[in-house]
Amino acid sequence: MLALLALLAGPAAAQPQRPLVWGDTFTNSLDPHAIFDVPSQFVLLNLYDGLYRYQGNELVPWLAESHTVSPDGLTWEFRLRAGIRFHDGSPLTAEDVVWSFRRLLAMRMAPSAAFTPVLKAENVTAPDARTVRFVLDSVYAPFLAAIPVVAIVNPRVIQPHIKDNDWGADWLAANEAGSGAYRFEPSTYQPRTALDMERFPEHFMGWSTERRPVDSVRWRNVMETSTRVLALLRGEIDATDSYLPTDQVERIERSQTARVARDQSMRIFLIRMNNRKPPFDNLDARLCFAHAFNYDGFNQIILKGMVTRIGGPLPNNLWGNPPDLRPIPYDMAKAKAHCDKARAAGAPLGREIELHSLANLDQTVQAAQMFQADLRRLGINVRIVPDTMPNVVTSATRPETTPDMWIHWISAYFIDPENWIGQMYDSRFHGTWKASAWYENPRVNELLTRARTTLDQTQREAMYQEASRIVIAESPDIWVYNTVNLRGLTRRVQGYSFSPVGSGGELRRMWFSN
């Protein structure tokens, strides 16, 4: 706590309006083309802009004022708004959008996964200063839905820092080159610890409709959930993470100084199994583990019904789920029967299984401890390994280094089944953290490929339903719940507006009540 107070001192003290202090998990890099997780969305939403943006559940024009698409679904043109400027004052033009997409495609890092299979760099062009044209190699139905994940960066700021053809990645990891509603303060930046932002008065969306908009923001990496909540209750931070465990939700709601914002999200909670590592290369072993997780015990008792059960890899509130979906039940007799079959087939269920939890997120630890106890009843020895999301993401690039099991969430980065089942269980995405189950089924690959290359919504839904049935039957992972987003906020923060994309982290609409 003393370290937190020290970080909040200094530049903030001189401000006439006390800054908003955002006490959430920190990103591993500030480069919006390098990282694809929830903390990176905070950077994307506040320091940068994209052609389109999700506002609530709606996809709306942002830097672009409109778009058109050819009848064959291959050629997309976006018309930019006039008068947009980057933080350095230079105009944002179609050529900057072209350069941003070409950078994304050349770097081939996480946010590029939605585009690299269908888009070549030379097919992103600028017919004029306000028009951007994309010519796809093949139809990609989620193209517009995925457009908001791409931040438009300022090449004039980045280019002087390019080294060894790295597209300025080393420099941008600790700097910014955006046009967003807030500007980065480089002099106080501490990687993975502290980032300060100031309001950008010239943001193209304007500020005339905002009531006392937040002028200064202090983003602080407060590691432990209990520390975050204590700091919130003392008024030292204004917002916690959005993964609060039940006891901390109740603690906040008993206070007079803070509240919990509850919002139905599309984030799903799951336990991954590395299908390339024995025993999880055996279907019966995977079904044994799936039947051994006490879903109601966790969702209804530990989390007190603040979440809803899911039976597969898609959120309950998204199209594409089979109408006859039946979740795998908690059934220790069935779990034992599948374990016995797996052992008879030679699956090494006698070895120690490592289950990685996210040490700074209590829900993953609670789930791991409960699961460990039930698996012990089946003669399975599980060792819980505290870990961090950046470490697991790095390890998930190869099956040999991916954990036996790990617990995490899949959040809404764009609203289409492709964001979930499409990138989780198509083997073309192996090597990314989303596909870290290392599951492979040729029929599922075929269905997911056809679903993303078909424009007819009815046909796409049928394909996702069939793919879901196959995936669920083969149980590559354990799907636990559909999240209710739970974020602690001080009562002085008003205007908090939730969107499944970014988990309510867009600051532009927020204001202070005093």
Side-chain angles (χ1 to χ4, degrees):
M1 184 63 69
L2 289 175
L4 174 63
L5 291 173
L7 285 170
L8 297 181
Q15 297 292 329
Q17 179 195 76
R18 185 163 70 83
L20 183 148
V21 184
W22 196 261
D24 203 346
T25 307
F26 222 70
T27 184
N28 209 31
S29 169
L30 300 185
D31 188 339
H33 296 164
I35 303 291
F36 199 32
D37 58 16
V38 172
S40 70
Q41 293 289 298
F42 189 72
V43 172
L44 177 63
L45 288 173
N46 295 300
L47 296 178
Y48 291 93
D49 294 304
L51 292 173
Y52 270 58
R53 177 170 289 203
Y54 286 96
Q55 297 285 273
N57 291 325
E58 184 181 1
L59 181 62
V60 301
W62 202 249
L63 293 176
E65 61 186 14
S66 63
H67 79 277
T68 60
V69 58
S70 60
D72 62 6
L74 295 177
T75 302
W76 295 72
E77 288 193 353
F78 293 79
R79 182 70 174 168
L80 297 182
R81 300 177 192 267
I84 302 171
R85 294 192 175 275
F86 284 109
H87 293 156
D88 70 343
S90 63
L92 189 155
T93 70
E95 288 291 352
D96 300 320
V97 177
V98 170
W99 195 88
S100 297
F101 272 85
R102 290 182 176 179
R103 181 181 190 268
L104 177 90
L105 294 168
M107 290 176 60
R108 298 185 69 84
M109 298 184 78
S112 69
F115 302 97
T116 49
V118 297
L119 183 62
K120 293 184 176 64
E122 61 268 25
N123 291 333
V124 186
T125 58
D128 60 58
R130 289 180 56 198
T131 304
V132 185
R133 179 179 296 154
F134 301 86
V135 180
L136 308 185
D137 296 340
S138 58
V139 171
Y140 184 57
F143 182 74
L144 183 62
I147 277 289
V149 308
V150 183
I152 305 309
V153 300
N154 186 343
R156 290 167 295 283
V157 172
I158 298 172
Q159 285 168 337
H161 304 283
I162 293 175
K163 297 178 182 178
D164 301 320
N165 298 315
D166 74 342
W167 289 85
D170 184 60
W171 180 82
L172 199 56
N175 290 277
E176 66 102 341
S179 62
Y182 287 85
R183 292 183 291 205
F184 171 58
E185 287 289 319
S187 62
T188 58
Y189 178 59
Q190 299 178 40
R192 304 186 192 183
T193 302
L195 181 148
D196 297 342
M197 297 185 288
E198 303 297 327
R199 186 166 65 91
F200 179 43
E202 292 78 32
H203 189 254
F204 74 96
M205 278 292 187
W207 299 90
S208 60
T209 61
E210 311 306 323
R211 298 177 58 183
R212 296 189 64 209
V214 175
D215 289 327
S216 300
V217 179
R218 305 291 181 254
W219 185 13
R220 298 297 182 257
N221 189 19
V222 187
M223 288 297 294
E224 299 298 329
T225 299
S226 58
T227 305
R228 288 192 194 111
V229 172
L230 180 58
L232 180 79
L233 298 179
R234 290 178 172 177
E236 294 162 358
I237 67 173
D238 291 291
T240 70
D241 64 273
S242 57
Y243 303 86
L244 291 172
T246 306
D247 61 330
Q248 299 296 346
V249 170
E250 293 172 339
R251 182 183 178 192
I252 293 169
E253 291 186 333
R254 288 194 299 267
S255 79
Q256 300 297 312
T257 58
R259 70 188 192 280
V260 175
R262 301 175 182 233
D263 297 282
Q264 180 64 50
S265 80
M266 293 183 173
R267 178 191 295 155
I268 65 172
F269 184 85
L270 72 164
I271 304 173
R272 313 308 299 260
M273 294 183 281
N274 185 342
N275 290 209
R276 291 273 188 90
K277 278 186 180 179
F280 300 113
D281 57 351
N282 180 285
L283 174 59
D284 280 303
R286 298 195 301 271
L287 287 170
C288 165
F289 278 71
H291 280 294
F293 189 82
N294 189 344
Y295 302 94
D296 284 345
F298 188 64
N299 294 349
Q300 300 302 319
I301 297 174
I302 293 178
L303 300 184
K304 298 189 177 181
M306 293 184 183
V307 298
T308 55
R309 175 77 200 277
I310 55 169
L314 290 175
N316 293 330
N317 49 346
L318 180 70
W319 59 275
N321 279 302
D324 55 349
L325 176 61
R326 295 292 182 270
I328 293 175
Y330 172 60
D331 188 324
M332 291 299 282
K334 287 185 178 180
K336 183 179 183 304
H338 283 294
C339 275
D340 291 345
K341 288 183 181 179
R343 288 188 176 102
L349 287 170
R351 78 169 178 86
E352 182 181 73
I353 304 293
E354 289 191 354
L355 173 57
H356 288 233
S357 64
L358 301 180
N360 60 329
L361 295 169
D362 287 355
Q363 281 191 28
T364 67
V365 178
Q366 292 171 325
Q369 291 171 342
M370 187 193 76
F371 202 18
Q372 180 188 49
D374 272 330
L375 290 170
R376 189 179 296 121
R377 293 167 54 194
L378 297 170
I380 297 173
N381 180 25
V382 170
R383 181 166 67 92
I384 299 172
V385 180
D387 211 333
T388 65
M389 188 72 175
N391 286 344
V392 178
V393 168
T394 300
S395 70
T397 56
R398 294 187 295 122
E400 298 80 13
T401 56
T402 300
D404 296 330
M405 308 179 75
W406 67 294
I407 307 177
H408 70 108
W409 292 263
I410 298 285
S411 294
Y413 299 105
F414 58 96
I415 310 303
D416 189 277
E418 172 78 353
N419 178 77
W420 288 273
I421 187 172
Q423 294 185 357
M424 292 166 67
Y425 300 115
D426 187 334
S427 60
R428 76 165 62 189
F429 294 103
H430 283 172
T432 67
W433 68 269
K434 273 192 181 182
S436 58
W438 297 95
Y439 168 82
E440 185 163 6
N441 180 303
R443 176 58 178 164
V444 171
N445 286 350
E446 177 191 353
L447 286 165
L448 296 178
T449 298
R450 286 172 52 204
R452 71 174 62 94
T453 57
T454 299
L455 293 177
D456 184 276
Q457 179 79 358
T458 302
Q459 293 179 28
R460 292 189 75 211
E461 181 154 20
M463 293 170 196
Y464 284 123
Q465 289 178 359
E466 183 181 347
S468 292
R469 289 189 183 95
I470 297 170
V471 169
I472 292 165
E474 296 192 330
S475 191
D477 287 318
I478 299 168
W479 307 285
V480 180
Y481 69 70
N482 200 140
T483 308
V484 172
N485 202 79
L486 300 167
R487 188 186 297 281
L489 298 167
T490 54
R491 295 192 181 277
R492 77 176 186 130
V493 174
Q494 303 295 319
Y496 176 79
S497 179
F498 180 76
S499 174
V501 176
S503 301
E506 186 173 3
L507 299 168
R508 188 177 165 274
R509 295 288 184 185
M510 298 183 199
W511 50 280
F512 293 135
S513 61
N514 53 50

